[in-house]
Amino acid sequence: MIGWYINRLKTISIAEFPYRIKQLIKNQYERYFNQGKFPAKITVVTKKDILRFSYSPEELYPDSINIFGTAFRYTGQNINWQEDISTGERFPLSFSKTIKIRDNSNLSAKNVWEVNRLQFLSFIAFNYRKTGSDIYLSQFIRILNSWIDNNPYLVGINWYSNIEINIRLITWFFCWQILDADRLITTNPEFKDFVDRKWIPAIFQHCRFSFYNPSKYSSSNNHLISEYAGLFIATSLWQFKESEKWNRYSKKGLEKEILRQHSENGINKEEAAEYIQFITDFFLIAYIVGENTSNLFSENYKIQFRKILDYISNFLDRDGHFPQYGDEDDGKCFILDFDKNFNNFKSLLTSGAIIFKDHLLKSRSNGFDVKNHILFGEPGKKVYESIPEINYIGNSKYYKNEGHFIFRKNENGNEIYLHFDAAPLGFLSLAAHGHADALSFILNVDGQPIFVDSGTYTYHTEPAWRSYFIGTLAHNTIRVNQHDQAVNGGPTLWTKHYKSSVIDLDLNEDNNRVKATHNGYVKDDAQHIREILFDRLRNEFQILDTILVKKNRKITVEIPFHLHPGVSITKQSANSYLFSKDSVRKTELFVDEKLNPVVIKGQMDPQILGWYSGSFAKKEATNVIFSKTQIESTTIFKFIIKIV
């Protein structure tokens, strides 16, 4: 792992070095002199009824959850909060800031943190709210007591990352509201004693950690958004003597980051599509809390929030699928429902419809769901129901400055949807959650994925798999000389980025066209230019790939077309294939005759190829139409995709 630390140093600017040195000194001071030193008695008052909902679940919530494919029964006894439940390996109970999270390939911090976000506590709180049974209240107290006792301040992996501290604060905020803790304190002496002696001190510790450990400079991505949101929400409810200062600080940060981390059109700059629902929820819950505590956010915040929702509305296909560019880890800012089919993107559009009283957002939403019932209560439901119903007819949408292009045709309830990615690698010097996917595309037909992004699978474990899934070969684009378009320096670290640029585009009634390139193959004396033309009358895409060879040398070119695991293949001729999936229209692919394509599935040697990760920590074999050739001069390859 020495190489990772060297590469990490390469991403740090001159201005960032003094900050990092100051952090190291601060960490050593905390390690030896400052652990857990807080006032003997912490005084707090609360702002009551911030969320004004009357929701009670129709049925009891389950007593277990699924953590990346592993069942976790949270009501069991003796939970080890340092354990990776998928492998049984454990992090040490040592000073948090010196723990090495990348040293053991069988130990995933992500798996541990997912449990320790404690989002299942809201399920227990809802069961208590529904039944009034002390069984559930005792469960809640026992589990949270166990967590607090076994995670002393600054000890263990659960004090390593500030994003986790703030997600817990948001979880506890919801639990407080669901339990109606202010009333419960006055009627239940056991609960009051637990709150005074354990819960409030833990909340204060989390707020203090959040304020004094911000993510800055090259680390100031979605983590910083979570830190501001968690602290703002916590200090809007729990009024410590420091709360006013912390609240002003975090609100100012949210106002800044909603603009800094999004483009003018509301597109998140991390270039990780699934993260958008995660990040947007932080802005959403902060906005609602601000409204309900008369601590309103600015008009600029509200305008930018609307732009984010507009992009979500545009980048979803007919059935709510999103283009899986960049990292995804199934993370949620908060969890209030256990419906396996819950679509948080569409739920965000429900929230947007209520806030902006907008019929377009309503038409793309999933109705007034449990999450929005809790966020907005009965008044929100009345607003949602008052918004006129319209039939959504989506059209192609180009985001030239950001490099995202959505080709779409809706007709008689059917839809052709293609997302073309000519965007930057990612955000800041790390580009932590970006993939080397310049000029890649995905295609959905009638709400079903056909050509797919391969997904993510893992972060800090299984380095060979991490390298594959973030690499160029795992995407529907072209790889030159077996090199990724960008230089990877570790699991969430890129040391050299490419630059994409749009050469030409056209958007009219009959034809949509985009032509773009990137500079990721400069060292190979080559350049990839891709043009995609959508003939809307013929339901046909033409893809023209030009490989410019700038010196007289041999260039190896690899061209994959990744298919969803549910797609069946029929080979029609040496260079044409017919794809079918469920009951949707069939899709044809015609491969340039200069190539000799083969079908590869689940390959491990000589290189990993033909794998798909539909969610974090899961992978399965899938078919790839793969071509490999050598060229010595500028060459154009032509591919045709037709929906029939």
Side-chain angles (χ1 to χ4, degrees):
M1 295 307 297
I2 293 175
W4 183 90
Y5 290 104
I6 293 172
N7 288 328
R8 181 67 179 91
L9 284 171
K10 293 178 182 178
T11 66
I12 296 176
S13 66
I14 294 174
E16 186 175 352
F17 265 106
Y19 171 74
R20 295 297 173 190
I21 292 170
K22 185 179 177 181
Q23 270 194 322
L24 290 173
I25 296 170
K26 174 175 170 286
N27 291 349
Q28 291 304 310
Y29 175 80
E30 288 180 327
R31 182 178 186 180
Y32 295 109
F33 301 110
N34 200 35
Q35 288 193 36
K37 292 185 178 179
F38 298 101
K41 182 173 175 58
I42 299 172
T43 302
V44 64
V45 295
T46 60
K47 291 185 178 180
K48 297 179 174 60
D49 301 325
I50 293 179
L51 298 181
R52 300 150 192 167
F53 63 91
S54 58
Y55 171 80
S56 182
E58 293 182 2
E59 55 184 298
L60 291 176
Y61 283 64
D63 65 356
S64 67
I65 55 173
N66 186 291
I67 303 290
F68 307 135
T70 300
F72 173 64
R73 187 169 176 267
Y74 53 80
T75 56
Q77 301 290 325
N78 301 321
I79 297 170
N80 189 303
W81 300 104
Q82 319 301 317
E83 183 177 273
D84 178 344
I85 62 171
S86 68
T87 64
E89 299 267 356
R90 297 174 181 177
F91 283 101
L93 265 174
S94 56
F95 180 63
S96 61
K97 297 181 182 181
T98 59
I99 292 175
K100 309 298 184 185
I101 68 170
R102 299 173 179 86
D103 283 0
N104 185 343
S105 62
N106 292 317
L107 182 54
S108 168
K110 175 66 180 169
N111 291 347
V112 179
W113 288 334
E114 198 71 19
V115 171
N116 285 271
R117 290 178 176 183
L118 303 179
Q119 292 173 324
F120 54 81
L121 287 178
S122 63
F123 293 3
I124 299 174
F126 271 126
N127 286 345
Y128 175 73
R129 185 183 183 94
K130 177 177 177 62
T131 65
S133 171
D134 286 341
I135 293 173
Y136 297 111
L137 187 59
S138 295
Q139 278 182 357
F140 184 92
I141 294 171
R142 176 178 58 79
I143 293 171
L144 192 45
N145 250 327
S146 170
W147 192 92
I148 294 168
D149 289 344
N150 289 282
N151 291 276
Y153 186 66
L154 295 184
V155 177
I157 189 65
N158 296 312
W159 290 97
Y160 179 94
S161 173
N162 203 355
I163 189 173
E164 304 305 320
I165 273 72
N166 287 279
I167 290 176
R168 274 194 296 276
L169 280 174
I170 293 171
T171 297
W172 291 345
F173 166 85
F174 277 104
C175 289
W176 193 278
Q177 303 289 305
I178 296 165
L179 290 171
D180 193 4
D182 290 297
R183 178 195 59 79
L184 198 55
I185 287 168
T186 66
T187 60
N188 188 310
E190 179 190 3
F191 183 73
K192 183 181 188 311
D193 181 66
F194 160 71
V195 168
D196 290 343
R197 290 192 308 106
K198 292 292 191 68
W199 200 4
I200 289 298
I203 291 166
F204 179 80
Q205 289 176 348
H206 279 61
C207 290
R208 187 180 186 278
F209 186 100
S210 176
F211 180 74
Y212 285 107
N213 294 274
S215 298
K216 294 291 187 181
Y217 294 98
S218 56
S219 301
S220 59
N221 53 13
N222 68 85
H223 285 231
L224 189 57
I225 293 171
S226 77
E227 292 158 19
Y228 288 140
L231 190 58
F232 176 79
I233 290 159
T235 55
S236 295
L237 173 60
W238 295 291
Q239 303 295 292
F240 306 105
K241 69 176 183 178
E242 299 88 350
S243 286
E244 186 177 346
K245 177 181 74 173
W246 291 346
N247 192 266
R248 287 197 307 269
Y249 155 85
S250 52
K251 182 183 179 186
K252 182 179 178 181
L254 286 168
E255 291 272 9
K256 178 182 177 181
E257 295 307 312
I258 198 171
L259 299 174
R260 188 180 78 96
Q261 296 199 39
H262 293 86
S263 73
E264 184 180 354
N265 288 307
I267 301 178
N268 186 263
K269 294 178 182 178
E270 287 207 77
E271 299 302 334
E274 195 256 356
Y275 265 60
I276 292 172
Q277 57 80 28
F278 177 62
I279 293 163
T280 306
D281 261 343
F282 288 113
F283 291 116
L284 170 64
I285 184 58
Y287 175 84
I288 292 170
V289 169
E291 290 282 308
N292 292 350
T293 56
S294 300
N295 187 12
L296 307 184
F297 284 85
S298 69
E299 191 62 23
N300 284 339
Y301 183 101
K302 194 172 181 179
I303 290 169
Q304 185 73 334
F305 185 66
R306 172 58 197 260
K307 289 179 179 179
I308 294 169
L309 295 172
D310 283 341
Y311 178 61
I312 292 173
S313 174
N314 282 318
F315 97 149
L316 296 180
D317 78 353
R318 186 193 73 176
D319 289 359
H321 298 109
F322 63 93
Q324 293 176 276
Y325 59 81
D327 271 346
E328 54 181 308
D329 63 13
D330 305 336
K332 298 292 187 292
C333 171
F334 52 90
I335 299 175
L336 302 171
D337 195 351
F338 61 90
D339 181 1
K340 293 180 180 179
N341 297 315
F342 176 74
N343 185 319
N344 198 37
F345 280 113
K346 299 190 79 171
S347 181
L348 281 162
L349 298 181
T350 297
S351 302
I354 295 167
I355 292 170
F356 297 102
K357 299 179 176 60
D358 184 85
H359 58 275
L360 176 61
L361 295 179
K362 179 179 180 178
S363 72
R364 301 284 281 147
S365 75
N366 60 355
F368 193 76
D369 54 24
V370 170
K371 174 186 168 187
N372 282 286
H373 202 143
I374 295 161
L375 294 178
F376 295 99
E378 286 298 322
K381 184 177 182 181
K382 289 179 181 178
V383 170
Y384 184 81
E385 291 175 345
S386 71
I387 300 170
E389 302 275 356
I390 66 164
N391 291 323
Y392 170 78
I393 302 176
N395 294 309
S396 296
K397 181 72 175 179
Y398 288 178
Y399 295 95
K400 178 183 177 182
N401 293 337
E402 296 90 343
H404 288 283
F405 302 92
I406 298 161
F407 299 84
R408 190 195 310 263
K409 178 183 177 182
N410 277 294
E411 187 176 48
N412 300 322
N414 295 322
E415 181 184 70
I416 299 170
Y417 171 102
L418 183 144
H419 175 271
F420 177 51
D421 185 348
L425 176 65
F427 187 48
L428 303 175
S429 60
L430 297 179
H433 294 295
H435 289 188
D437 57 2
L439 311 189
S440 65
F441 75 93
I442 63 100
L443 173 69
N444 296 352
V445 176
D446 302 335
Q448 290 294 318
I450 305 299
F451 293 108
V452 295
D453 183 295
S454 295
T456 297
Y457 179 57
T458 187
Y459 280 173
H460 298 120
T461 59
E462 302 180 80
W465 286 107
R466 176 64 177 170
S467 295
Y468 170 70
F469 278 105
I470 65 175
T472 301
L473 192 62
H475 300 86
N476 298 319
T477 184
I478 288 182
R479 189 169 79 159
V480 168
N481 288 342
Q482 296 183 306
H483 293 158
D484 286 335
Q485 301 157 337
V487 179
N488 181 243
T492 51
L493 170 64
W494 296 92
T495 57
K496 187 173 182 181
H497 302 195
Y498 53 75
K499 182 179 179 181
S500 301
S501 56
V502 177
I503 299 170
D504 196 14
L505 53 82
D506 186 26
L507 182 61
N508 61 57
E509 186 175 346
D510 296 333
N511 294 284
N512 305 158
R513 183 175 63 87
V514 175
K515 187 176 185 179
T517 188
H518 68 87
N519 66 351
Y521 296 129
V522 170
K523 283 191 173 182
D524 296 289
D525 298 315
Q527 182 181 356
H528 177 203
I529 302 169
R530 172 167 280 184
E531 181 176 10
I532 296 184
L533 172 67
F534 180 28
D535 186 330
R536 297 171 61 87
L537 298 178
R538 300 178 63 181
N539 294 341
E540 180 179 286
F541 292 93
Q542 288 188 22
I543 300 176
L544 295 175
D545 284 313
T546 301
I547 306 299
L548 292 176
V549 180
K550 298 184 179 181
K551 290 184 179 179
N552 191 17
R553 56 177 290 190
K554 287 186 178 181
I555 297 290
T556 300
V557 177
E558 295 170 288
I559 311 172
F561 289 86
H562 299 264
L563 295 162
H564 187 273
V567 172
S568 299
I569 302 177
T570 301
K571 189 169 185 178
Q572 300 185 120
S573 66
N575 285 63
S576 70
Y577 301 86
L578 182 68
F579 309 125
S580 58
K581 187 173 189 288
D582 300 332
S583 59
V584 304
R585 287 174 288 175
K586 291 180 170 58
T587 304
E588 288 182 304
L589 170 66
F590 300 91
V591 177
D592 192 293
E593 292 184 355
K594 293 189 289 296
L595 298 168
N596 296 304
V598 294
V599 178
I600 293 176
K601 183 176 184 179
Q603 177 179 285
M604 296 293 294
D605 187 63
Q607 61 186 358
I608 298 175
L609 183 61
W611 295 89
Y612 174 73
S613 174
S615 59
F616 195 77
K618 296 180 181 179
K619 67 180 185 299
E620 59 183 307
T622 194
N623 288 305
V624 178
I625 310 299
F626 179 70
S627 302
K628 183 176 181 179
T629 190
Q630 283 194 330
I631 59 175
E632 296 184 9
S633 60
T634 295
T635 305
I636 298 175
F637 299 101
K638 182 177 181 180
F639 307 91
I640 296 175
I641 299 172
K642 189 175 180 67
I643 290 83
V644 294

